[in-house]
Amino acid sequence: MNSQKRKVAAEDLYQLTYASDPQLSPQGDAVVYVKTMIDEERAYRNHLFVRDLQTGETVQLTSGAVRDTYPRWSPDGTRISFVSKRSGTAQVWLIDAKGGEPRQLTHCKTGVSTPLWSPDGQLIVFSSLMDRGETFDDQEGEAKEAVVPKVIHVERMKYKSDDYGYLYEKTRQLALVHVETGEVKALTDGPYHHTIGSWSPDGKWLAITANRNENPDMLHTVDVYLLRTAGGEWKKLTSSNGTFSNPTWSADSQKLAFIGSLADGIYLNATQKRVWTCDLESGELTCVTADWDVQIGDSTIGDVRSPGHPTPGAVWTEDGTALYVIVSERGNSGIYRVALDGQKEHIVSGNRNVYGFTIDEQKQTLIAAISDPLIPGDLYHFNLETKAEQRLTELNRDFFANVELAVPEEIEFAAQDGWKVHGWMLKPVGYKPGEKYPLVLQIHGGPHSMYGNTFFHEFQILAAKGYAVLYTNPRGSYGYGERFMQACCGDYGGKDYLDLMSAVDYACQQFDFVDESRLGVAGGSYGGLMTNWIVGQTNRFRAGVTDRSICNWVSFYGVSDIGYYFSAEEIQANPFTNPEKMWQHSPIRLVANIETPLLIMHGEQDHRCPIEQAEQLYITLKHQGKAPVSFIRFPGAGHELSRSGDPEQRVLRLQYTEDWFATYMEPKVPSLQQ
């Protein structure tokens, strides 16, 4: 071990940076990407960089106190569009691919997102959240100072969103902007959300997705549509029996591919995503991965990169016989080439997390954005012919040259009913054989997501503070087949709880450095719910930290942005026909049993798991007068606080976690000296 290196600290979040959203130029000789960092003002910054793949030269295209995202090349490769709030609201900007001053293209009062060039380079389609009656032709562009309304009349069930705040009557609409004149033409309207997919090769059609059901608040299916850009003709390709996204065209315009899943009457969201194709002449739908029990897309949870990075979906080969997709399995996400006949080839594999890619088959080039347990996020070049791999960026080289990181060890064990459960053990930094260390069990959210081989700052901090960190994928997690993923539905606190307890049992039995008398537990969202459940079931843990959690399914039903339909699928209950079942799965009914010191942390603007959940838990614990409890509220913070929230709040959250465990678990912080 290098005695000159120091240990990771919460404040190191300010130094971490990562690359995302790589896009190869039309000529395949350069890649533009987004570099995300936190500046001296403790604010996020996103800048665009272009790397020449021939010379290796990297040029910074944008700079300053801005967040520039979503870069896309013009078809001739001379310009790059991107989204920026540099004028006040998110607008489409254009910049020469060789650099220079950017030019603002759109001036929409409501802001824009996801711009995409037409094949001839004359138009860009974009989307915007708009109120009923608003138009795209507001040339003033910059939003006026917000005026607090005297009253708000709510009529929709989906009137708020953790992603966008209070929507009320806002819906996502699509429009075209002429690149040279700036003229804007609306493409969609109505009380529905629409999402951009891709242009047809001839530029006459757009493949999009939308929920245009008669009552989109009650029927949550998302369909694939073709929309003619001139004339407004619509063609519906799916049958309102599933959720689909990311439609992409084959080069010959004969087929579409998209990602999605069918509803089976019980599950809509708790189903694995698969690859589908549609023959545009016959209308026939085919599930290409019907016999492959994996999750399509990146489902890995980390805490440095914000979720929701742009994804290419299923990318066609030039000959239209196969598709390139990201696949999540056993804690890894990699890239496969999936032929239409079902044959599969692993293109980018290994113990890592692929969260974006771009490909040029003519150049035999694939650029992937990748993280692993020691790398927050860099770009890698893969030669499709020779299989050679080259790392293109090393954005945190200087930082990691000076800090010591813990390396996770993969584990697998049998749960109480014999099911196999997979996870990782992180030894304390400075670990010495023969010594005993406290252990923290970490529980991920979702529950349909997965821990994996990606960078996790919080885990590294705990390891640096002298804790062993145990993190697993109990049933409910992605990556282990659909049966495993659905096994927690209707059974929250049942066998998923036993999986977690089996993990602790295994760690205590197999790792002689674990001090069984000093155990802690922590988790967020579903992981927070399970933390609440665990401390209500057992006094085995010295301390718990519950973050953006659920404690009461009955009230969650009516206050969460997803509550009224999420509860029906995940708990398989509602307050009208079986409120007893909702109560049975609610940790708050177990509060009288809790003796574990519990730290409750929650964002005040969390619409996914609203703060009233934390308030109920805190007041009930206080009223019982039993276990030590503390409540930390984060003003203005939403559900994604720990990943994309205010940087200073994120650091404070980590410090509160450290302090709570230190108070009740008395860790012995190891020295890095030999």
Side-chain angles (χ1 to χ4, degrees), residues 11-27:
E11 297 88 342
D12 288 331
L13 177 70
Y14 299 138
Q15 299 188 52
L16 297 174
T17 184
Y18 63 89
S20 64
D21 201 9
Q23 299 291 322
L24 277 165
S25 65
Q27 295 76 27

Side-chain angles (χ1 to χ4, degrees), residues 81-372:
S81 64
F82 62 97
V83 175
S84 180
K85 290 185 178 180
R86 56 181 59 216
S87 64
T89 55
Q91 303 294 338
V92 179
W93 292 71
L94 303 177
I95 191 169
D96 190 283
K98 296 181 179 178
E101 285 297 315
R103 171 174 73 90
Q104 185 173 347
L105 178 60
T106 61
H107 299 266
C108 295
K109 181 178 67 174
T110 53
V112 307
S113 63
T114 59
L116 191 64
W117 292 82
S118 63
D120 63 8
Q122 295 185 25
L123 300 169
I124 290 177
V125 63
F126 64 89
S127 65
S128 182
L129 270 175
M130 303 180 68
D131 274 322
R132 183 183 298 179
E134 280 188 329
T135 63
F136 288 102
D137 59 3
D138 176 15
Q139 291 301 312
E140 296 180 10
E142 317 314 326
K144 306 295 188 301
E145 182 178 351
V147 176
V148 178
K150 300 296 184 184
V151 66
I152 296 170
H153 187 177
V154 177
E155 293 187 320
R156 298 195 59 173
M157 294 181 76
K158 291 185 178 180
Y159 68 90
K160 62 181 178 178
S161 158
D162 196 70
D163 294 321
Y164 305 109
Y166 287 102
L167 296 170
Y168 302 120
E169 297 296 320
K170 289 187 176 73
T171 51
R172 185 163 296 283
Q173 305 298 342
L174 310 184
L176 297 173
V177 59
H178 194 282
V179 172
E180 299 306 325
T181 67
E183 180 183 358
V184 175
K185 172 189 173 184
L187 288 176
T188 64
D189 58 17
Y192 319 107
H193 291 287
H194 305 83
T195 302
I196 297 167
S198 60
W199 289 85
S200 63
D202 63 9
K204 295 181 179 179
W205 295 87
L206 277 167
I208 68 171
T209 57
N211 177 355
R212 291 176 64 90
N213 294 298
E214 183 176 351
N215 186 347
D217 287 354
M218 291 299 292
L219 188 58
H220 308 291
T221 56
V222 178
D223 287 296
V224 179
Y225 292 86
L226 298 185
L227 172 59
R228 184 180 286 275
T229 56
E233 180 184 352
W234 288 73
K235 294 182 180 180
K236 186 178 180 182
L237 302 183
T238 53
S239 303
S240 299
N241 59 350
T243 57
F244 301 98
S245 65
N246 300 98
T248 56
W249 294 79
S250 61
D252 62 5
S253 300
Q254 299 302 303
K255 288 184 172 66
L256 272 185
F258 37 89
I259 310 298
S261 57
L262 294 179
D264 65 359
I266 299 175
Y267 304 112
L268 177 63
N269 297 298
T271 52
Q272 290 194 141
K273 301 300 181 185
R274 304 183 188 277
V275 181
W276 298 75
T277 60
C278 177
D279 184 291
L280 295 178
E281 181 176 355
S282 67
E284 181 182 3
L285 294 180
T286 302
C287 184
V288 179
T289 59
D291 298 325
W292 193 19
D293 197 12
V294 298
Q295 168 74 357
I296 302 299
D298 172 32
S299 300
T300 317
I301 288 182
D303 68 344
V304 171
R305 301 184 318 276
S306 58
H309 287 287
T311 173
V315 179
W316 287 92
T317 56
E318 287 193 339
D319 62 8
T321 63
L323 297 148
Y324 293 92
V325 292
I326 295 177
V327 174
S328 293
E329 51 183 347
R330 286 188 61 82
N332 297 313
S333 56
I335 300 174
Y336 278 85
R337 183 181 185 272
V338 182
L340 298 189
D341 64 6
Q343 296 297 308
K344 300 173 287 292
E345 179 185 0
H346 214 165
I347 303 299
V348 180
S349 58
N351 292 327
R352 50 192 175 183
N353 167 209
V354 176
Y355 56 93
F357 74 96
T358 178
I359 192 168
D360 185 324
E361 277 200 321
Q362 284 190 349
K363 295 282 187 178
Q364 292 293 291
T365 294
L366 185 150
I367 309 293
I370 294 176
S371 174
D372 67 27

Side-chain angles (χ1 to χ4, degrees), residues 546-547 599-604 611 614 618 630-635 641 652-653 656-657 660:
T546 183
D547 200 357
L599 174 64
I600 303 168
M601 294 192 287
H602 220 107
E604 291 188 347
I611 197 169
Y618 173 70
S630 187
F631 185 16
I632 308 298
R633 303 170 64 104
F634 293 95
L641 165 64
L652 285 169
R653 175 190 162 275
Y656 280 120
T657 301
W660 192 257

Side-chain angles (χ1 to χ4, degrees), residues 1-9 12 399-407 427-432 435 437 460-467 668-674:
M1 186 175 296
N2 188 339
S3 61
Q4 302 303 311
K5 291 189 175 183
R6 64 174 179 83
K7 290 170 288 189
V8 177
D12 288 331
F399 171 72
F400 287 133
N402 298 309
V403 300
E404 193 73 36
L405 296 177
V407 180
K427 290 180 180 177
V429 175
Y431 159 80
K432 294 180 181 178
E435 292 198 5
Y437 300 92
Q460 291 291 341
I461 292 169
L462 290 173
K465 291 293 182 180
Y467 301 93
K668 180 181 178 182
V669 180
S671 169
L672 291 181
Q673 301 297 322
Q674 294 285 0

Side-chain angles (χ1 to χ4, degrees), residues 432-625:
K432 294 180 181 178
E435 292 198 5
K436 292 284 191 179
Y437 300 92
L439 177 141
V440 174
L441 169 68
Q442 288 274 359
I443 310 169
H444 68 62
H448 310 306
S449 58
M450 71 179 188
Y451 279 143
N453 287 302
T454 195
F455 189 82
F456 223 111
H457 183 215
E458 180 173 339
F459 297 175
Q460 291 291 341
I461 292 169
L462 290 173
K465 291 293 182 180
Y467 301 93
V469 182
L470 173 65
Y471 52 109
T472 68
N473 286 324
R475 65 195 74 191
S477 304
Y478 280 133
Y480 308 90
E482 190 163 79
R483 180 182 176 219
F484 189 91
M485 184 265 288
Q486 292 178 347
C488 72
C489 295
D491 189 41
Y492 277 39
K495 291 184 177 178
D496 52 354
Y497 163 71
L498 296 178
D499 287 351
L500 294 165
M501 293 302 96
S502 296
V504 176
D505 292 340
Y506 175 86
C508 292
Q509 293 163 7
Q510 296 296 316
F511 298 98
D512 60 7
F513 57 84
V514 172
D515 184 347
E516 192 169 355
S517 70
R518 291 188 293 161
L519 302 177
V521 59
S525 196
Y526 165 82
L529 175 140
M530 290 307 299
T531 298
N532 300 339
W533 186 266
I534 285 169
V535 297
Q537 295 281 346
T538 176
N539 296 324
R540 186 175 187 179
F541 295 87
R542 285 263 198 104
V545 177
T546 183
D547 200 357
R548 61 194 190 281
S549 74
I550 297 171
C551 74
N552 186 340
W553 287 107
V554 180
S555 64
F556 176 84
Y557 167 90
V559 296
S560 168
D561 62 346
I562 62 172
Y564 67 96
Y565 57 92
F566 184 85
S567 302
E569 188 162 310
E570 296 294 324
I571 305 302
Q572 297 180 4
N574 64 59
F576 315 109
T577 60
N578 44 7
E580 297 83 4
K581 182 171 175 56
M582 301 186 85
W583 185 246
Q584 277 300 117
H585 293 284
S586 296
I588 198 166
R589 74 174 178 84
L590 305 171
V591 164
N593 302 334
I594 296 177
E595 296 180 4
T596 306
L598 190 63
L599 174 64
I600 303 168
M601 294 192 287
H602 220 107
E604 291 188 347
Q605 296 303 312
D606 188 334
H607 293 306
R608 185 62 37 83
C609 298
I611 197 169
E612 64 90 26
Q613 294 284 311
E615 292 169 337
Q616 289 187 60
L617 182 61
Y618 173 70
I619 291 299
T620 308
L621 277 167
K622 275 291 191 182
H623 195 221
Q624 294 281 340

